[in-house]
Amino acid sequence: MTSLTVHDVSVRFGGLTAVDAASFTVESGSVTGLIGPNGAGKTTLFNVITGLQAPSGGTVTLDDRDLRKAKPYKRARLGIARTFQRLEAFGSLTVRENVLVAAEMRRRWSTTKYDAAEETETILGRVGIQHLADARAEDLPTGNARLVEVARALAVKPSVLLLDEPSSGLDESETDVLGVLMHALAQEGLAILLVEHDMPLVMTTCNYINVLDFGKIIARGTPTEIQNDEHVQRAYLGSVAKAES
Amino acid sequence: MAKPKRSASTHRRHSNPDVSVRRSLGPIVAATVVLTVAVATWGGRPVTGESLIQLLIFALPLAGIFALAATGLVVVYTTTGVFNFAQGAIGMLAAYVYWQLHVDWGWPNVLSVAVTVLGFAPAFGWMLNRLIMRHLVGKDLVVQLMVTVGLLLGFIGVANTIWDPNQSHTVNPFFGIEGFQISGVTLTWHRLIALVVAVVLVVGLRFLLYATRLGIAMRAVVDNQGLAQLSGVPSERVSSFSWMLGSCLAALAGVLYANEIGVGASLVLATLVPAFAAAAVGRMRSLPLTYLGALILALLMQFASVYLSFTGDWQPAKERIPEVMLFVVLLLLPPASLKFARFSGVRRRARVVPPRQGAIGLAVLVVTMPLFGLLQSATNLSRLTLAMGLAIVALSLVPLTGWAGQVSFAPLAFAGIGAAAFAHFGGESGRPLAILIGAIAAAPVGAALSLIAVRLQGLYLGLATFAFAYFTRDAILNNSRMYGGVSLTTPRQTWFGISFSGNQAYLTLLTVVFAIIALALMAIRTSSFGRRLVAMRDSEAASATVGVNIFETKVVVFTISAFVAGLGGSFLAMFYINTDSGRFEAIAGLGLVLQMVVGGIALVSGAVFAGVFQLPIIILREKSAEVSWLLWLEPKLRGLEQIAPGFAALGIIQNPEGAVVAVGKGFAPLVPGDTAARKVASAERARKAERYAAQSSEIGLSIALTASSIAEVERQLRVTDALAPRGSS
């Protein structure tokens, strides 16, 4: 059982408060949603969790281990992997190499022996991008490049997986496949934190949802609770409902 | 509704106290070192009012000139994102123009200055932007840097072609040596003018940037060119103006400094690094801080020359204050955070030659290069041999810059360290293994540099390595434990029963060594470490999140690079036989990096290109001197020989992967049986067509639109009916 806890984390850029005392937990075996309007601070929180952004205050702990001093690569080795909202695939490498780099890195700290190339093929198959294996990542359309990032993150064999808008750029059926994959990964014991704007995907995949607005967690609960939450409707879903009607 | 809490300011004060401690630590350490050096080298001259005034009177105008040069850099960099290495060269060209008008043609001084600074310079800047610089916006940093480095060398070539560098071109100070006395020290009118011009300009520029529409537009363009354009800023005109202004400032600095340095390439060197150092203090953005930087630098330099006396090994260090300051300032900047990729836009150089193909290519090289050497005259054979030696040094850039994306201008400095170490430890007796000494000596220096440089990225890293190269050449290589100002002898040996004293044999040896190192590097590229290097270049942030230790990776690749360069240094020393530190000039290193980038920085074949690049022109020139009816061509080619390397860099704007790749791509589909290449070429064509179609549809145009389909649409929309004159239907 793994749990990642974000406790009282704040991030300020000069006078701007991007994240304001946010706290939540991500448990293994479940998909936790982190939703909110653009600019709510979701990606900043991802950067704090993975160590790319130092918080102005608060702590991130992985199974009671304080990550404050851990550099990004250490956190990866401890089992935190992520994808990026603004694509960060290794553009000049092929899709296969993108995953291979991660699989090979893991050999340096993994206690079990495995064949990185074999592992790579398995993951490519699992994410459903085997047919793209020899394409250069920068030549791919956005949706596929996101899947490359998912595959790369999986190659780290994480216990916590952070997905930053993985479905944007995917069509409906591809999104469904992604949903199924997330379910399966959670079943295997992964703790998934999902930032997503695709509400149907969030509502069907997540076990638990945190709603972020102006850097603050304004609501939390199960999908049903969130859908009925007054604050959320006002801040976020309300506008969506209006737009759809 | 509850008011949002504004607690940011209170939080900011007590957040991360150790960061502020660490930040103030740097300057304190630097100040302590300066003090220690000052105490240790104190020349004994009493500090009196007079000597202090003398210090100021010399330092302030100098600061003004540095500030002008640096401001030109900053203005162009902040508005166009291009760091202009050629800034000093523009100043040199302007100084030549001034010399031509005033000294050679005898125009009045004021008119000459006006025509140079207000006529020639802005026109030159405008043309530069029009023809070259506007194509650089948004390009890969290596491309941006190397194009301006190319122009730096190219402009020197142009100047040397027009004005014979062997003649001295001197200009007198404005109003001669007259001036007025301050406590017994003369402040010449010329120096006073330099100072006043600098002060007036800083006030004027500050006003321009912050209080005029143009200035605000200039700053908007830096932040986001596309957005600025959308909100009606004519970004093209703004960058044009910036280049004109930058060029004027360069010209001013050049004209004002020419009487002290002399008109010529030395003028470039005298302003290049000081301007970098001053601009670095302003973090390439702030004009007031840039001025402060120029002032500190000029004060330090004058302070050293008035009060300090460096002796023995450290004598040359006195002249290297600008380089040291540049290096130190860069290190004091806050460390760069992990670099995110800018996924779109820049297409990276990423060609990976399949190992078998690479091996075949190298085998061909090993066979043909010595054969080619056989056909050459003794002089050209010697040049070719030197070229192969330099190619080995250039190889050191392939993993470092080509794959890992770490800009380094110091390969020749590492070669120098390697060469000196080789000479001291076994080079004279010449055991084969002594060759390795050079590599082993250079590697830890590379590691040490990387330990410091790991916190820098991109431009700052490039500048730091440039400062390092400068400092190495003058202060480290001239140390008595290295070359110490004399030349060291490393005779060529007889190994494995073969004497390498002749160039033909040595060329063969170098080619074989090159091939072996190249093979080793290609093996690294296809290994997991090689993939990791490329991954790190593409996105440091993403690499870190899959567990790559960026620090460790950078240190290792710097070490490998220095090792290769050091090895090349050993071989170069054996080529020269008598070697001194003059073989490892920083500017020559800059040229080597340039040619490497022009050839193809990510490829071992790029290194061959870098080495032999100039040979065809040289050979052609010599041949044309022998043939009577080609004699007219010879002087023209002499100029070209100097200019070509610089302007060849323009090619990388179109072909950032380098000439070797561009040429290779063109020829590959023609090779019979190479179906893969043909496929790649047709895929490339298809992709271009697709991109064109996508662009067209983005702006609402379909390329399928023909006259008949337009007519059909119009018919359906009854446009024609509506447009038809009333009553006609």
Side-chain angles (χ1 to χ4, degrees), chain B residues 1-21:
Chain B
M1 221 172 97
K3 269 189 183 170
K5 273 184 219 154
R6 287 267 165 250
S7 55
S9 58
T10 50
H11 274 287
R12 213 181 336 160
R13 218 171 297 143
H14 56 76
S15 68
N16 285 337
D18 46 331
V19 169
S20 56
V21 170

PDB file of all heavy atoms in Angstrom, chain B residues 1-21:
ATOM      1  N   MET B   1     -19.619  38.697  -0.637  1.00  0.00           N
ATOM      2  CA  MET B   1     -18.472  37.858  -0.994  1.00  0.00           C
ATOM      3  C   MET B   1     -17.229  38.238  -0.178  1.00  0.00           C
ATOM      4  O   MET B   1     -16.934  39.410   0.009  1.00  0.00           O
ATOM      5  CB  MET B   1     -18.161  38.051  -2.486  1.00  0.00           C
ATOM      6  CG  MET B   1     -17.828  36.741  -3.155  1.00  0.00           C
ATOM      7  SD  MET B   1     -17.694  36.939  -4.936  1.00  0.00           S
ATOM      8  CE  MET B   1     -15.948  37.099  -5.109  1.00  0.00           C
ATOM      9  N   ALA B   2     -16.561  37.212   0.282  1.00  0.00           N
ATOM     10  CA  ALA B   2     -15.383  37.492   1.119  1.00  0.00           C
ATOM     11  C   ALA B   2     -14.242  38.028   0.267  1.00  0.00           C
ATOM     12  O   ALA B   2     -14.058  37.606  -0.873  1.00  0.00           O
ATOM     13  CB  ALA B   2     -14.941  36.221   1.824  1.00  0.00           C
ATOM     14  N   LYS B   3     -13.539  38.964   0.839  1.00  0.00           N
ATOM     15  CA  LYS B   3     -12.388  39.515   0.121  1.00  0.00           C
ATOM     16  C   LYS B   3     -11.279  38.459   0.068  1.00  0.00           C
ATOM     17  O   LYS B   3     -11.048  37.762   1.051  1.00  0.00           O
ATOM     18  CB  LYS B   3     -11.858  40.739   0.862  1.00  0.00           C
ATOM     19  CG  LYS B   3     -12.490  42.031   0.399  1.00  0.00           C
ATOM     20  CD  LYS B   3     -11.741  43.176   1.030  1.00  0.00           C
ATOM     21  CE  LYS B   3     -12.368  44.492   0.666  1.00  0.00           C
ATOM     22  NZ  LYS B   3     -11.789  45.572   1.465  1.00  0.00           N
ATOM     23  N   PRO B   4     -10.607  38.338  -1.072  1.00  0.00           N
ATOM     24  CA  PRO B   4      -9.469  37.406  -1.106  1.00  0.00           C
ATOM     25  C   PRO B   4      -8.341  37.919  -0.204  1.00  0.00           C
ATOM     26  O   PRO B   4      -8.069  39.113  -0.160  1.00  0.00           O
ATOM     27  CB  PRO B   4      -9.050  37.421  -2.585  1.00  0.00           C
ATOM     28  CG  PRO B   4      -9.607  38.686  -3.143  1.00  0.00           C
ATOM     29  CD  PRO B   4     -10.824  39.023  -2.342  1.00  0.00           C
ATOM     30  N   LYS B   5      -7.763  36.976   0.506  1.00  0.00           N
ATOM     31  CA  LYS B   5      -6.683  37.387   1.423  1.00  0.00           C
ATOM     32  C   LYS B   5      -5.415  37.716   0.650  1.00  0.00           C
ATOM     33  O   LYS B   5      -5.033  36.989  -0.250  1.00  0.00           O
ATOM     34  CB  LYS B   5      -6.383  36.250   2.413  1.00  0.00           C
ATOM     35  CG  LYS B   5      -7.280  36.311   3.628  1.00  0.00           C
ATOM     36  CD  LYS B   5      -6.856  35.227   4.593  1.00  0.00           C
ATOM     37  CE  LYS B   5      -8.082  34.599   5.233  1.00  0.00           C
ATOM     38  NZ  LYS B   5      -7.844  33.250   5.671  1.00  0.00           N
ATOM     39  N   ARG B   6      -4.789  38.779   1.015  1.00  0.00           N
ATOM     40  CA  ARG B   6      -3.516  39.130   0.365  1.00  0.00           C
ATOM     41  C   ARG B   6      -2.394  38.942   1.373  1.00  0.00           C
ATOM     42  O   ARG B   6      -2.010  39.862   2.069  1.00  0.00           O
ATOM     43  CB  ARG B   6      -3.539  40.590  -0.119  1.00  0.00           C
ATOM     44  CG  ARG B   6      -4.402  40.785  -1.311  1.00  0.00           C
ATOM     45  CD  ARG B   6      -3.588  40.667  -2.606  1.00  0.00           C
ATOM     46  NE  ARG B   6      -4.477  40.501  -3.741  1.00  0.00           N
ATOM     47  CZ  ARG B   6      -4.575  39.360  -4.423  1.00  0.00           C
ATOM     48  NH1 ARG B   6      -3.846  38.325  -4.096  1.00  0.00           N
ATOM     49  NH2 ARG B   6      -5.382  39.269  -5.446  1.00  0.00           N
ATOM     50  N   SER B   7      -1.964  37.747   1.476  1.00  0.00           N
ATOM     51  CA  SER B   7      -0.951  37.486   2.491  1.00  0.00           C
ATOM     52  C   SER B   7       0.406  37.209   1.874  1.00  0.00           C
ATOM     53  O   SER B   7       1.355  36.852   2.543  1.00  0.00           O
ATOM     54  CB  SER B   7      -1.373  36.292   3.345  1.00  0.00           C
ATOM     55  OG  SER B   7      -1.616  35.197   2.497  1.00  0.00           O
ATOM     56  N   ALA B   8       0.472  37.386   0.556  1.00  0.00           N
ATOM     57  CA  ALA B   8       1.705  36.989  -0.127  1.00  0.00           C
ATOM     58  C   ALA B   8       2.937  37.696   0.423  1.00  0.00           C
ATOM     59  O   ALA B   8       3.968  37.071   0.665  1.00  0.00           O
ATOM     60  CB  ALA B   8       1.568  37.278  -1.618  1.00  0.00           C
ATOM     61  N   SER B   9       2.814  39.002   0.637  1.00  0.00           N
ATOM     62  CA  SER B   9       4.011  39.747   1.008  1.00  0.00           C
ATOM     63  C   SER B   9       4.552  39.302   2.362  1.00  0.00           C
ATOM     64  O   SER B   9       5.758  39.193   2.539  1.00  0.00           O
ATOM     65  CB  SER B   9       3.701  41.243   1.028  1.00  0.00           C
ATOM     66  OG  SER B   9       2.659  41.486   1.926  1.00  0.00           O
ATOM     67  N   THR B  10       3.634  39.021   3.294  1.00  0.00           N
ATOM     68  CA  THR B  10       4.122  38.597   4.602  1.00  0.00           C
ATOM     69  C   THR B  10       4.793  37.230   4.506  1.00  0.00           C
ATOM     70  O   THR B  10       5.773  36.963   5.171  1.00  0.00           O
ATOM     71  CB  THR B  10       2.972  38.514   5.620  1.00  0.00           C
ATOM     72  OG1 THR B  10       1.932  37.750   5.029  1.00  0.00           O
ATOM     73  CG2 THR B  10       2.487  39.882   6.019  1.00  0.00           C
ATOM     74  N   HIS B  11       4.225  36.380   3.647  1.00  0.00           N
ATOM     75  CA  HIS B  11       4.817  35.046   3.519  1.00  0.00           C
ATOM     76  C   HIS B  11       6.178  35.097   2.874  1.00  0.00           C
ATOM     77  O   HIS B  11       7.075  34.388   3.256  1.00  0.00           O
ATOM     78  CB  HIS B  11       3.915  34.154   2.677  1.00  0.00           C
ATOM     79  CG  HIS B  11       2.849  33.496   3.490  1.00  0.00           C
ATOM     80  ND1 HIS B  11       3.131  32.472   4.344  1.00  0.00           N
ATOM     81  CD2 HIS B  11       1.533  33.744   3.590  1.00  0.00           C
ATOM     82  CE1 HIS B  11       2.009  32.097   4.937  1.00  0.00           C
ATOM     83  NE2 HIS B  11       1.017  32.861   4.492  1.00  0.00           N
ATOM     84  N   ARG B  12       6.264  35.978   1.877  1.00  0.00           N
ATOM     85  CA  ARG B  12       7.486  35.984   1.094  1.00  0.00           C
ATOM     86  C   ARG B  12       8.694  36.291   1.970  1.00  0.00           C
ATOM     87  O   ARG B  12       9.775  35.778   1.745  1.00  0.00           O
ATOM     88  CB  ARG B  12       7.378  37.029  -0.023  1.00  0.00           C
ATOM     89  CG  ARG B  12       8.113  36.586  -1.255  1.00  0.00           C
ATOM     90  CD  ARG B  12       8.042  37.590  -2.357  1.00  0.00           C
ATOM     91  NE  ARG B  12       6.917  38.477  -2.275  1.00  0.00           N
ATOM     92  CZ  ARG B  12       6.895  39.643  -2.908  1.00  0.00           C
ATOM     93  NH1 ARG B  12       7.920  40.029  -3.607  1.00  0.00           N
ATOM     94  NH2 ARG B  12       5.857  40.430  -2.835  1.00  0.00           N
ATOM     95  N   ARG B  13       8.452  37.129   2.952  1.00  0.00           N
ATOM     96  CA  ARG B  13       9.580  37.573   3.749  1.00  0.00           C
ATOM     97  C   ARG B  13      10.250  36.419   4.493  1.00  0.00           C
ATOM     98  O   ARG B  13      11.451  36.327   4.544  1.00  0.00           O
ATOM     99  CB  ARG B  13       9.124  38.650   4.738  1.00  0.00           C
ATOM    100  CG  ARG B  13      10.144  39.736   4.904  1.00  0.00           C
ATOM    101  CD  ARG B  13       9.575  40.888   5.708  1.00  0.00           C
ATOM    102  NE  ARG B  13       8.444  41.519   5.033  1.00  0.00           N
ATOM    103  CZ  ARG B  13       7.390  41.989   5.693  1.00  0.00           C
ATOM    104  NH1 ARG B  13       7.297  41.879   6.994  1.00  0.00           N
ATOM    105  NH2 ARG B  13       6.415  42.565   5.040  1.00  0.00           N
ATOM    106  N   HIS B  14       9.436  35.518   5.036  1.00  0.00           N
ATOM    107  CA  HIS B  14      10.116  34.479   5.819  1.00  0.00           C
ATOM    108  C   HIS B  14      10.174  33.131   5.094  1.00  0.00           C
ATOM    109  O   HIS B  14      10.495  32.123   5.688  1.00  0.00           O
ATOM    110  CB  HIS B  14       9.481  34.323   7.207  1.00  0.00           C
ATOM    111  CG  HIS B  14       8.016  34.046   7.180  1.00  0.00           C
ATOM    112  ND1 HIS B  14       7.525  32.825   6.854  1.00  0.00           N
ATOM    113  CD2 HIS B  14       6.949  34.850   7.412  1.00  0.00           C
ATOM    114  CE1 HIS B  14       6.202  32.863   6.908  1.00  0.00           C
ATOM    115  NE2 HIS B  14       5.833  34.089   7.231  1.00  0.00           N
ATOM    116  N   SER B  15       9.859  33.139   3.786  1.00  0.00           N
ATOM    117  CA  SER B  15       9.960  31.848   3.108  1.00  0.00           C
ATOM    118  C   SER B  15      11.402  31.628   2.648  1.00  0.00           C
ATOM    119  O   SER B  15      12.057  32.528   2.155  1.00  0.00           O
ATOM    120  CB  SER B  15       9.016  31.806   1.904  1.00  0.00           C
ATOM    121  OG  SER B  15       9.461  32.702   0.921  1.00  0.00           O
ATOM    122  N   ASN B  16      11.847  30.411   2.815  1.00  0.00           N
ATOM    123  CA  ASN B  16      13.182  29.994   2.362  1.00  0.00           C
ATOM    124  C   ASN B  16      14.315  30.921   2.801  1.00  0.00           C
ATOM    125  O   ASN B  16      14.951  31.567   1.975  1.00  0.00           O
ATOM    126  CB  ASN B  16      13.205  29.890   0.839  1.00  0.00           C
ATOM    127  CG  ASN B  16      12.488  28.647   0.362  1.00  0.00           C
ATOM    128  OD1 ASN B  16      12.356  27.688   1.138  1.00  0.00           O
ATOM    129  ND2 ASN B  16      12.023  28.656  -0.860  1.00  0.00           N
ATOM    130  N   PRO B  17      14.580  30.999   4.081  1.00  0.00           N
ATOM    131  CA  PRO B  17      15.652  31.890   4.525  1.00  0.00           C
ATOM    132  C   PRO B  17      17.021  31.440   4.002  1.00  0.00           C
ATOM    133  O   PRO B  17      17.883  32.264   3.734  1.00  0.00           O
ATOM    134  CB  PRO B  17      15.598  31.793   6.048  1.00  0.00           C
ATOM    135  CG  PRO B  17      14.898  30.510   6.333  1.00  0.00           C
ATOM    136  CD  PRO B  17      13.954  30.274   5.190  1.00  0.00           C
ATOM    137  N   ASP B  18      17.192  30.110   3.834  1.00  0.00           N
ATOM    138  CA  ASP B  18      18.523  29.642   3.406  1.00  0.00           C
ATOM    139  C   ASP B  18      18.848  30.098   1.989  1.00  0.00           C
ATOM    140  O   ASP B  18      20.001  30.229   1.619  1.00  0.00           O
ATOM    141  CB  ASP B  18      18.657  28.123   3.536  1.00  0.00           C
ATOM    142  CG  ASP B  18      17.456  27.376   2.992  1.00  0.00           C
ATOM    143  OD1 ASP B  18      16.360  27.977   3.036  1.00  0.00           O
ATOM    144  OD2 ASP B  18      17.608  26.241   2.541  1.00  0.00           O
ATOM    145  N   VAL B  19      17.812  30.354   1.163  1.00  0.00           N
ATOM    146  CA  VAL B  19      18.076  30.802  -0.205  1.00  0.00           C
ATOM    147  C   VAL B  19      18.743  32.170  -0.192  1.00  0.00           C
ATOM    148  O   VAL B  19      19.736  32.405  -0.874  1.00  0.00           O
ATOM    149  CB  VAL B  19      16.767  30.850  -1.026  1.00  0.00           C
ATOM    150  CG1 VAL B  19      17.002  31.570  -2.353  1.00  0.00           C
ATOM    151  CG2 VAL B  19      16.257  29.446  -1.285  1.00  0.00           C
ATOM    152  N   SER B  20      18.198  33.074   0.647  1.00  0.00           N
ATOM    153  CA  SER B  20      18.783  34.416   0.669  1.00  0.00           C
ATOM    154  C   SER B  20      20.196  34.390   1.241  1.00  0.00           C
ATOM    155  O   SER B  20      21.066  35.126   0.796  1.00  0.00           O
ATOM    156  CB  SER B  20      17.889  35.369   1.457  1.00  0.00           C
ATOM    157  OG  SER B  20      17.683  34.848   2.745  1.00  0.00           O
ATOM    158  N   VAL B  21      20.426  33.499   2.207  1.00  0.00           N
ATOM    159  CA  VAL B  21      21.774  33.355   2.762  1.00  0.00           C
ATOM    160  C   VAL B  21      22.725  32.889   1.674  1.00  0.00           C
ATOM    161  O   VAL B  21      23.794  33.449   1.469  1.00  0.00           O
ATOM    162  CB  VAL B  21      21.780  32.336   3.934  1.00  0.00           C
ATOM    163  CG1 VAL B  21      23.221  32.001   4.337  1.00  0.00           C
ATOM    164  CG2 VAL B  21      21.011  32.882   5.113  1.00  0.00           C
TER     165      VAL B  21
END
